[in-house]
Structures are given as structure tokens and as C-alpha cells.
Amino acid sequence: MGNRVMLGSSFLFIIFFIFNLAFLEAQVAPPIYVFGDSLVDVGNNNYLLLSIEKAILPHYGIDFPTKKPNGRFSNGKNAADLIAEKLGVPTSPPYLSLISLVKNNKNSSFLDGVSFASGGAGIFDGKNDLQSIPFTKQVDYYSQVHEQMTQQIGAPSLQKRLSKSIFAVVIGSNDIFGYFNSKDLQNKSTPQQYADSMVTSLKVQLQRVYNYGARKFVIVGVSAIGCCPALRLKNETECAVEANLLSVKYNDGLKSMMKGWQLEKNDIRYSYFDTYAALQDLIQNPSSYGFAEVKGACCGLGKLNAQIPCLPISKICFNRQNHVFWDPFHPTEAAARIFVDRIFNGPAKYTSPINMKQLLPL
């Protein structure tokens, strides 16, 4: 009788253990693979020896846990950090930092997520790729990572893992800045033609990422570019209308392309985030979100703190929580937190057809 009780208890314990193991496995957050520009760069540019596109000077990182510059173009955490924070996982490390470990014969794995994002990167390849890692090259790096992961765990296991992973893409702003900084580009194409070519080029690279196993995408549209301090400065403190119109044209094309692509590839799931609408909401209703300054940068010099970029000699605002913009181009951590909360939770006003939370495994 005693043995039966013991056997029954052991059996129940095993069932309970297996159930909990399965539950915990189901709750494990998926790896995040990040592609993009300075809005999500977590240090890749620090490894580009000839690049001047680096956030390595004070006052960058002043509100980061280390209180030091760390390659993030922010006073604190950026969107990549905050997305990882939502999932309860470490920030995906910079690809070039992992390559550095491999070269020094130290253990390194790409299976838990990687960031390929690079400050200054665009959808189009730049004239000087020594300054940043353009989107095409970021995808090239991912193809190499895919090959190494395949060797590590085999193709079937890797595909199963990647099908649950999140692929975040935050890019396009620098291409729009580039258009308005180049008379040659403006002479060659209308804003609509340029926006269309951005979307076409982006799809080519997304298809490559898909071919290497990606199935779940977080696609972030560009913000109201004309409302950043640098462009307000050129337009006497008002938002630059032409830049905002190009942003809208690109975002409309991007949304249309993603809908069509999903019809072509019915195993794709994605969440599009309307950064433009989210930023406009902060600018038009600042007090509702605790902001007092929506035009000027927190760190910089001159009019709107945007005539000279954020340097050690720059003026820096005392309260970074009430500024939307940290420097002439980038949001503060406070603004980024609001954006990421909407990326993750919605509502439908900002995310379509679903939000990031709905992309996660059940």
C-alpha cells in the first residue's frame, strides 16, 4: 500500500514537473534581431574605426544605468533597449561586438538575438560605408549569422527557432534627410518617385531576411521628420512641410507594400507602427504626456539647441523627462518609452494589423 502511495506521488510529481516545464518553455521570450539606424543602434558604430557617427561623447548616456556614453544616440535607453525590456530579456548585442569576441576565441552565440543597427544607416547604400552599416550590408551580416547558426544547431531546429523570433526594422529616416540634402537626388526624382524607390528597395532586403528564416516582423514607419529640431531650425521653428510630406508618402507606400507582401507570403505575420502619428500626438498634446518642450533639443547649442549638435560643451536641459527631443535628431528616453509602449500594446490607432504583443507566441 505504501509503495502504491509513493508511486502515485512520484507520478503526480513527474506530471506536474513536465507541465511546468512546458509552461515555462511557452513563456520564454523570443530572440530579437534588430535592423536599423541610430534610433536603435546599441553600439555597432563604436566598432567602425573610421566612423564619426558615434555617440561616444558626454552627454550621451547621462541617464543610462552606467551614466556613460555607450553608442546609443540618446540620454538613456533607446527603443531597442525598451523593446527588450518589455519582453524581459537582455538587449540584443551589437553584431560587431560579437564578431570581436569570435575573433578573440571567446564564446559567442547569435541564437539569442543580435542587433545590426547602425547610426547613419539608410535603406540605400551611402556614399561612404565606412561611416555606417547600410541596410543592405546589415542583411549581408545576417546571412552570415544564419550560416553560423545553421552549423551550430542544424537547419530544422534553426528554422523552428527563427519562425518564433522577432525581426525589428527601424530605418528610412536618413534616406529622407539625404533627399533634402541633395539637389542631385531632387533633380533625379520627385518625392513620390523617391518614396516608391525606398519602399521597393526595402522589400528586396526584407525578402532576403525572409529567405533566411524570418517570419515575424515589427516594421516601424518614419516619424514626422520635418518636426525634429534640426529641420525646424531651417524652417524658423515650424515643422518642415516638405520633409513631412515625403515621410507620409513613404509610410503610405510601406503600409501598402507590407499588406501585399503578406498576401504573397501567407506565413508572414507583422506589426506596423505609425511613428508619424505617435510623434504628432506628443507634439500636439505635450502636457498630456508630461512634456513641456516639443520644438527644441535638450542637448545642443544655439537656436532650439540645434545649431550645434550635442557636444561636451553643449548646454543640457535639467529635466530630460519633459523634452521630446534629446538632440537635434533623436528622441529622449522618455519619448522613446511612449513609442515602445505603443509598439508593444497598440492601440490600433498606432499599430496595424496587430501590435507587437500579439506577435508573440501564445
Side-chain angles (χ1 to χ4, degrees), residues 171-189:
I171 204 158
S173 298
N174 290 313
D175 301 283
I176 292 176
F177 286 125
Y179 182 78
F180 288 104
N181 288 331
S182 171
K183 289 296 181 185
D184 184 48
L185 285 176
Q186 293 174 52
N187 290 333
K188 285 181 178 178
S189 57

Side-chain angles (χ1 to χ4, degrees), residues 129-148:
D129 292 348
L130 297 176
Q131 295 298 316
S132 62
I133 310 168
F135 190 39
T136 304
K137 194 169 184 179
Q138 292 181 32
V139 178
D140 289 343
Y141 285 152
Y142 172 64
S143 70
Q144 295 168 22
V145 163
H146 185 273
E147 184 178 340
Q148 292 183 47

Side-chain angles (χ1 to χ4, degrees), residues 14-124:
I14 291 169
I15 294 297
F16 179 78
F17 177 78
I18 291 173
F19 174 82
N20 276 278
L21 192 65
F23 176 79
L24 287 171
E25 186 177 356
Q27 298 302 304
V28 172
I32 309 171
Y33 294 87
V34 182
F35 302 82
D37 54 30
S38 55
L39 294 171
V40 283
D41 185 356
V42 291
N44 270 311
N45 278 20
N46 286 359
Y47 295 85
L48 299 177
L49 298 180
L50 300 180
S51 176
I52 59 172
E53 297 273 355
K54 296 179 182 179
I56 56 174
L57 299 173
H59 306 280
Y60 287 97
I62 191 171
D63 298 311
F64 196 75
T66 60
K67 307 295 182 185
K68 296 177 180 179
N70 49 63
R72 291 162 174 81
F73 294 79
S74 171
N75 60 304
K77 294 181 178 181
N78 68 18
D81 298 304
L82 299 172
I83 287 173
E85 193 176 276
K86 284 285 187 184
L87 295 177
V89 298
T91 299
S92 297
Y95 167 76
L96 295 181
S97 72
L98 296 180
I99 288 299
S100 178
L101 290 174
V102 169
K103 287 180 179 178
N104 291 309
N105 297 317
K106 295 182 179 179
N107 289 331
S108 176
S109 175
F110 301 110
L111 291 168
D112 295 324
V114 188
S115 172
F116 304 94
S118 169
I123 296 170
F124 300 129

Side-chain angles (χ1 to χ4, degrees), residues 114-355:
V114 188
S115 172
F116 304 94
S118 169
I123 296 170
F124 300 129
D125 292 352
K127 291 181 179 179
N128 186 351
D129 292 348
L130 297 176
Q131 295 298 316
S132 62
I133 310 168
F135 190 39
T136 304
K137 194 169 184 179
Q138 292 181 32
V139 178
D140 289 343
Y141 285 152
Y142 172 64
S143 70
Q144 295 168 22
V145 163
H146 185 273
E147 184 178 340
Q148 292 183 47
M149 293 190 295
T150 301
Q151 293 174 0
Q152 190 173 349
I153 64 172
S157 295
L158 178 60
Q159 184 52 46
K160 184 178 179 181
R161 188 178 184 87
L162 291 178
S163 68
K164 297 177 182 178
S165 300
I166 300 294
F167 290 77
V169 181
V170 185
I171 204 158
S173 298
N174 290 313
D175 301 283
I176 292 176
F177 286 125
Y179 182 78
F180 288 104
N181 288 331
S182 171
K183 289 296 181 185
D184 184 48
L185 285 176
Q186 293 174 52
N187 290 333
K188 285 181 178 178
S189 57
T190 65
Q192 186 63 63
Q193 290 169 336
Y194 188 75
D196 291 344
S197 63
M198 286 174 63
V199 172
T200 300
S201 297
L202 181 76
K203 184 182 178 182
V204 170
Q205 299 310 320
L206 291 180
Q207 181 64 50
R208 291 178 64 204
V209 178
Y210 171 87
N211 292 342
Y212 288 109
R215 295 295 181 269
K216 294 184 177 183
F217 296 87
V218 173
I219 305 293
V220 177
V222 298
S223 71
I225 299 294
C227 294
C228 73
L231 290 193
R232 279 186 185 269
L233 183 65
K234 296 178 180 179
N235 213 38
E236 297 187 355
T237 79
E238 295 306 312
C239 297
V241 175
E242 297 84 359
N244 280 354
L245 286 174
L246 180 51
S247 299
V248 169
K249 290 178 188 299
Y250 169 68
N251 287 337
D252 286 347
L254 176 58
K255 285 184 283 187
S256 178
M257 180 273 285
M258 289 302 300
K259 287 179 182 178
W261 195 41
Q262 189 175 47
L263 291 175
E264 294 172 22
K265 308 289 184 183
N266 57 18
D267 55 348
I268 288 174
R269 297 184 71 212
Y270 76 93
S271 176
Y272 169 81
F273 178 63
D274 190 342
T275 320
Y276 190 103
L279 178 60
Q280 289 290 63
D281 194 13
L282 297 192
I283 289 172
Q284 293 167 8
N285 306 288
S287 60
S288 300
Y289 301 97
F291 294 109
E293 177 55 63
V294 301
K295 294 183 178 181
C298 176
C299 183
L301 281 171
K303 193 173 184 179
L304 297 182
N305 258 7
Q307 288 179 298
I308 296 176
C310 185
L311 299 171
I313 60 168
S314 298
K315 292 180 181 177
I316 181 171
C317 63
F318 176 74
N319 186 354
R320 272 85 68 185
Q321 296 296 316
N322 70 8
H323 278 61
V324 171
F325 290 97
W326 160 244
D327 65 13
F329 299 99
H330 305 98
T332 56
E333 179 184 316
R337 280 190 178 277
I338 293 173
F339 296 150
V340 168
D341 186 61
R342 288 172 174 171
I343 288 172
F344 196 74
N345 295 305
K349 177 182 178 182
Y350 304 110
T351 55
S352 61
I354 58 177
N355 60 41

